[in-house]
Each structure stands twice: as structure tokens, then as C-alpha cells.
Amino acid sequence: MNGFYHCESRETSYDWRKIILNINMISIALGAVLFFAQIHLPEILNNTLSIVGNMIGPASMIVTGMLFAGMDLKKIFGNKRVYIISSLRMIVIPLIALALIKLSRIAALSSNAPKIMLIVFLAVITPSASTVTQICQVYGNDAKYASAINVVTTLCAIVTMPLMVLLYTYINHRFSILHTFFPPFACST
């Protein structure tokens, strides 16, 4: 949806060892082991990893800014496919996710469930990651197309993210009011 199709590797076979033993998969596995085993890292290592983690957001913004600065704006905004993919990523998929959250009634399971579902929903409504462009560069695919999608979805997020959060809040608040005052009616919404 967000440029991955054009970033697929053109290799006919996959090296599973390369996939499983890449730094991201090792980090995920190590983090899961540390979390579930309740192993606490030494303070100096924990502080170092925290500082590096705090750098991720600004580094991502720098990469996105570099991509934006190097783009031909006429070419980006003239490509209809970028608009289609961006509208799917920033409007259609979040609306489907919102409908699934509402229909599944997960947000009504506990007192903290609405906040948890909002966090999940925030992950859904974010723009495409700049790592998609980096993956395209690594595999020698169309990085300019992926960065165009990244730039357009980032610009769209300025408007769509607040609107989607407002819509989530409205639907969640409306549901809780209906449930409070009209319990039988709330089940049919």
C-alpha cells in the first residue's frame, strides 16, 4: 500500500539466513527475551540505549527532510498513483481500522481499552515510514517513487491525523454516552 510493491526485491529466491539474522530481527528477538525474562540491563547500557532511542524521531525527520528537499515537486504532485496510494494509506485504511475497532467492541472491554486502542489507531494513521525508501535504496529499486509516497503521506498527515483522532474520539465518546444512558440501544450501534 505504501510503496512496498515497488520496493520488492527482484531476487527469485530468498536467503532465509539473511532475513532471520539481520540486525532488526536479532534486536526484536533479544528485546522479547529481555522483556519476558524480566532481565534488567545495567544502568549505563540502559541510558545509552535510551539516548539512541530518543534520537530515532529526529533522525527520521532529517531523512524525510532530505528526501523532500531532493524531490522535483512537479513530478511528485503530477503522479496520480502517488495520490491513490496516499489516500489509501491516510484515509481508507484508517477508516477501515476505525470501523473494526468500533465493530469489535474492543474499546469497551476495560477502562483502559479506549486509550490502548487510540495508541493502536495512532500507529495506523501515521504516514509511510522513511525506512521504505531506505529499503528501496538497499535493494536497488525505485527509491524516488517510495520517497514521493513518503513525502505526500507526511504532508497529508498534517491534516488527516488530527481529523482521524477527532473522529476516533467522537465515535468512542458517542459510544460511551449511548452505553451509559441507553444500554440496550448501545449494543445495536
Side-chain angles (χ1 to χ4, degrees):
M1 289 289 162
N2 46 3
F4 187 73
Y5 174 75
H6 284 276
C7 293
E8 287 181 359
S9 175
R10 292 187 177 112
E11 299 173 14
T12 56
S13 65
Y14 296 103
D15 182 6
W16 290 103
R17 180 180 293 160
K18 187 177 177 183
I19 292 170
I20 292 177
L21 295 179
N22 76 51
I23 191 68
N24 298 320
M25 296 300 287
I26 293 170
S27 299
I28 290 169
L30 184 62
V33 168
L34 291 174
F35 176 77
F36 289 116
Q38 296 292 317
I39 299 172
H40 298 283
L41 296 174
E43 189 70 26
I44 190 163
L45 190 56
N46 195 26
N47 288 341
T48 303
L49 291 174
S50 179
I51 290 169
V52 171
N54 290 337
M55 186 185 72
I56 298 292
S60 174
M61 288 184 231
I62 289 170
V63 169
T64 302
M66 289 171 41
L67 294 173
F68 189 70
M71 301 295 308
D72 178 15
L73 295 179
K74 287 183 180 180
K75 194 172 185 180
I76 291 174
F77 294 114
N79 188 344
K80 292 179 183 176
R81 189 165 181 178
V82 170
Y83 288 115
I84 293 168
I85 291 170
S86 297
S87 63
L88 285 172
R89 176 73 182 102
M90 301 306 294
I91 298 169
V92 176
I93 291 173
L95 289 175
I96 291 170
L98 189 59
L100 290 174
I101 290 170
K102 172 74 173 144
L103 293 173
S104 68
R105 302 188 192 281
I106 292 175
L109 291 179
S110 74
S111 61
N112 289 332
K115 290 178 185 174
I116 295 168
M117 292 314 301
L118 178 60
I119 293 168
V120 171
F121 189 62
L122 285 171
V124 171
I125 64 175
T126 56
S128 65
S130 56
T131 54
V132 174
T133 304
Q134 295 164 359
I135 291 169
C136 285
Q137 290 171 336
V138 167
Y139 286 104
N141 292 296
D142 194 359
K144 289 187 186 259
Y145 179 71
S147 60
I149 292 170
N150 178 256
V151 167
V152 171
T153 57
T154 301
L155 291 174
C156 288
I158 295 169
V159 174
T160 59
M161 284 186 74
L163 289 176
M164 291 296 172
V165 170
L166 183 67
L167 186 61
Y168 173 86
T169 306
Y170 172 75
I171 288 174
N172 192 39
H173 182 68
R174 182 173 165 247
F175 175 75
S176 64
I177 288 174
L178 286 174
H179 184 68
T180 303
F181 293 109
F182 307 105
F185 181 69
C187 293
S188 64
T189 60

PDB file of all heavy atoms in Angstrom, residues 83-95:
ATOM      1  N   TYR A  83      -1.106   9.762  -5.380  1.00  0.00           N
ATOM      2  CA  TYR A  83      -2.317  10.221  -4.692  1.00  0.00           C
ATOM      3  C   TYR A  83      -3.207   9.045  -4.294  1.00  0.00           C
ATOM      4  O   TYR A  83      -3.776   9.035  -3.201  1.00  0.00           O
ATOM      5  CB  TYR A  83      -3.128  11.178  -5.569  1.00  0.00           C
ATOM      6  CG  TYR A  83      -2.497  12.534  -5.733  1.00  0.00           C
ATOM      7  CD1 TYR A  83      -2.056  12.963  -6.968  1.00  0.00           C
ATOM      8  CD2 TYR A  83      -2.339  13.372  -4.637  1.00  0.00           C
ATOM      9  CE1 TYR A  83      -1.483  14.213  -7.121  1.00  0.00           C
ATOM     10  CE2 TYR A  83      -1.756  14.620  -4.784  1.00  0.00           C
ATOM     11  CZ  TYR A  83      -1.333  15.041  -6.025  1.00  0.00           C
ATOM     12  OH  TYR A  83      -0.773  16.260  -6.167  1.00  0.00           O
ATOM     13  N   ILE A  84      -3.337   8.079  -5.182  1.00  0.00           N
ATOM     14  CA  ILE A  84      -4.179   6.913  -4.876  1.00  0.00           C
ATOM     15  C   ILE A  84      -3.617   6.155  -3.676  1.00  0.00           C
ATOM     16  O   ILE A  84      -4.341   5.843  -2.723  1.00  0.00           O
ATOM     17  CB  ILE A  84      -4.308   5.997  -6.111  1.00  0.00           C
ATOM     18  CG1 ILE A  84      -5.090   6.705  -7.219  1.00  0.00           C
ATOM     19  CG2 ILE A  84      -4.972   4.677  -5.746  1.00  0.00           C
ATOM     20  CD1 ILE A  84      -5.030   6.007  -8.560  1.00  0.00           C
ATOM     21  N   ILE A  85      -2.336   5.871  -3.715  1.00  0.00           N
ATOM     22  CA  ILE A  85      -1.707   5.131  -2.621  1.00  0.00           C
ATOM     23  C   ILE A  85      -1.741   5.944  -1.328  1.00  0.00           C
ATOM     24  O   ILE A  85      -2.031   5.406  -0.253  1.00  0.00           O
ATOM     25  CB  ILE A  85      -0.267   4.728  -2.999  1.00  0.00           C
ATOM     26  CG1 ILE A  85      -0.322   3.677  -4.100  1.00  0.00           C
ATOM     27  CG2 ILE A  85       0.506   4.217  -1.799  1.00  0.00           C
ATOM     28  CD1 ILE A  85       0.985   3.352  -4.730  1.00  0.00           C
ATOM     29  N   SER A  86      -1.498   7.236  -1.425  1.00  0.00           N
ATOM     30  CA  SER A  86      -1.521   8.086  -0.227  1.00  0.00           C
ATOM     31  C   SER A  86      -2.923   8.168   0.367  1.00  0.00           C
ATOM     32  O   SER A  86      -3.081   8.140   1.593  1.00  0.00           O
ATOM     33  CB  SER A  86      -1.010   9.491  -0.566  1.00  0.00           C
ATOM     34  OG  SER A  86       0.327   9.431  -0.976  1.00  0.00           O
ATOM     35  N   SER A  87      -3.950   8.255  -0.479  1.00  0.00           N
ATOM     36  CA  SER A  87      -5.315   8.303   0.068  1.00  0.00           C
ATOM     37  C   SER A  87      -5.700   6.962   0.687  1.00  0.00           C
ATOM     38  O   SER A  87      -6.388   6.927   1.711  1.00  0.00           O
ATOM     39  CB  SER A  87      -6.326   8.720  -1.003  1.00  0.00           C
ATOM     40  OG  SER A  87      -6.371   7.775  -2.039  1.00  0.00           O
ATOM     41  N   LEU A  88      -5.241   5.867   0.103  1.00  0.00           N
ATOM     42  CA  LEU A  88      -5.477   4.562   0.726  1.00  0.00           C
ATOM     43  C   LEU A  88      -4.796   4.501   2.091  1.00  0.00           C
ATOM     44  O   LEU A  88      -5.396   4.073   3.076  1.00  0.00           O
ATOM     45  CB  LEU A  88      -4.960   3.430  -0.165  1.00  0.00           C
ATOM     46  CG  LEU A  88      -5.779   3.079  -1.393  1.00  0.00           C
ATOM     47  CD1 LEU A  88      -5.026   2.076  -2.269  1.00  0.00           C
ATOM     48  CD2 LEU A  88      -7.123   2.510  -0.988  1.00  0.00           C
ATOM     49  N   ARG A  89      -3.555   4.943   2.139  1.00  0.00           N
ATOM     50  CA  ARG A  89      -2.763   4.860   3.371  1.00  0.00           C
ATOM     51  C   ARG A  89      -3.268   5.797   4.462  1.00  0.00           C
ATOM     52  O   ARG A  89      -3.269   5.457   5.647  1.00  0.00           O
ATOM     53  CB  ARG A  89      -1.293   5.180   3.052  1.00  0.00           C
ATOM     54  CG  ARG A  89      -0.387   5.219   4.258  1.00  0.00           C
ATOM     55  CD  ARG A  89      -0.139   3.817   4.772  1.00  0.00           C
ATOM     56  NE  ARG A  89       0.687   3.834   5.938  1.00  0.00           N
ATOM     57  CZ  ARG A  89       0.239   3.684   7.180  1.00  0.00           C
ATOM     58  NH1 ARG A  89      -1.029   3.512   7.410  1.00  0.00           N
ATOM     59  NH2 ARG A  89       1.070   3.707   8.199  1.00  0.00           N
ATOM     60  N   MET A  90      -3.707   6.984   4.076  1.00  0.00           N
ATOM     61  CA  MET A  90      -4.033   8.001   5.071  1.00  0.00           C
ATOM     62  C   MET A  90      -5.533   8.151   5.358  1.00  0.00           C
ATOM     63  O   MET A  90      -5.904   8.736   6.367  1.00  0.00           O
ATOM     64  CB  MET A  90      -3.468   9.362   4.628  1.00  0.00           C
ATOM     65  CG  MET A  90      -1.965   9.354   4.444  1.00  0.00           C
ATOM     66  SD  MET A  90      -1.022   8.770   5.864  1.00  0.00           S
ATOM     67  CE  MET A  90      -1.363  10.035   7.038  1.00  0.00           C
ATOM     68  N   ILE A  91      -6.405   7.617   4.484  1.00  0.00           N
ATOM     69  CA  ILE A  91      -7.841   7.774   4.693  1.00  0.00           C
ATOM     70  C   ILE A  91      -8.557   6.427   4.751  1.00  0.00           C
ATOM     71  O   ILE A  91      -9.236   6.114   5.730  1.00  0.00           O
ATOM     72  CB  ILE A  91      -8.471   8.667   3.600  1.00  0.00           C
ATOM     73  CG1 ILE A  91      -7.847  10.074   3.657  1.00  0.00           C
ATOM     74  CG2 ILE A  91      -9.979   8.748   3.758  1.00  0.00           C
ATOM     75  CD1 ILE A  91      -8.180  10.950   2.484  1.00  0.00           C
ATOM     76  N   VAL A  92      -8.412   5.615   3.712  1.00  0.00           N
ATOM     77  CA  VAL A  92      -9.195   4.375   3.608  1.00  0.00           C
ATOM     78  C   VAL A  92      -8.807   3.375   4.692  1.00  0.00           C
ATOM     79  O   VAL A  92      -9.668   2.860   5.418  1.00  0.00           O
ATOM     80  CB  VAL A  92      -9.061   3.763   2.201  1.00  0.00           C
ATOM     81  CG1 VAL A  92      -9.779   2.433   2.120  1.00  0.00           C
ATOM     82  CG2 VAL A  92      -9.599   4.732   1.150  1.00  0.00           C
ATOM     83  N   ILE A  93      -7.532   3.084   4.822  1.00  0.00           N
ATOM     84  CA  ILE A  93      -7.084   2.105   5.821  1.00  0.00           C
ATOM     85  C   ILE A  93      -7.422   2.564   7.247  1.00  0.00           C
ATOM     86  O   ILE A  93      -7.933   1.767   8.041  1.00  0.00           O
ATOM     87  CB  ILE A  93      -5.585   1.781   5.653  1.00  0.00           C
ATOM     88  CG1 ILE A  93      -5.385   0.993   4.355  1.00  0.00           C
ATOM     89  CG2 ILE A  93      -5.047   1.004   6.837  1.00  0.00           C
ATOM     90  CD1 ILE A  93      -3.953   0.744   3.987  1.00  0.00           C
ATOM     91  N   PRO A  94      -7.199   3.843   7.612  1.00  0.00           N
ATOM     92  CA  PRO A  94      -7.622   4.264   8.946  1.00  0.00           C
ATOM     93  C   PRO A  94      -9.133   4.155   9.174  1.00  0.00           C
ATOM     94  O   PRO A  94      -9.564   3.789  10.274  1.00  0.00           O
ATOM     95  CB  PRO A  94      -7.164   5.730   9.022  1.00  0.00           C
ATOM     96  CG  PRO A  94      -5.993   5.790   8.118  1.00  0.00           C
ATOM     97  CD  PRO A  94      -6.333   4.870   6.991  1.00  0.00           C
ATOM     98  N   LEU A  95      -9.938   4.447   8.157  1.00  0.00           N
ATOM     99  CA  LEU A  95     -11.383   4.311   8.321  1.00  0.00           C
ATOM    100  C   LEU A  95     -11.782   2.846   8.508  1.00  0.00           C
ATOM    101  O   LEU A  95     -12.669   2.537   9.314  1.00  0.00           O
ATOM    102  CB  LEU A  95     -12.127   4.931   7.138  1.00  0.00           C
ATOM    103  CG  LEU A  95     -12.082   6.462   7.070  1.00  0.00           C
ATOM    104  CD1 LEU A  95     -12.750   6.955   5.797  1.00  0.00           C
ATOM    105  CD2 LEU A  95     -12.720   7.089   8.300  1.00  0.00           C
TER     106      LEU A  95
END
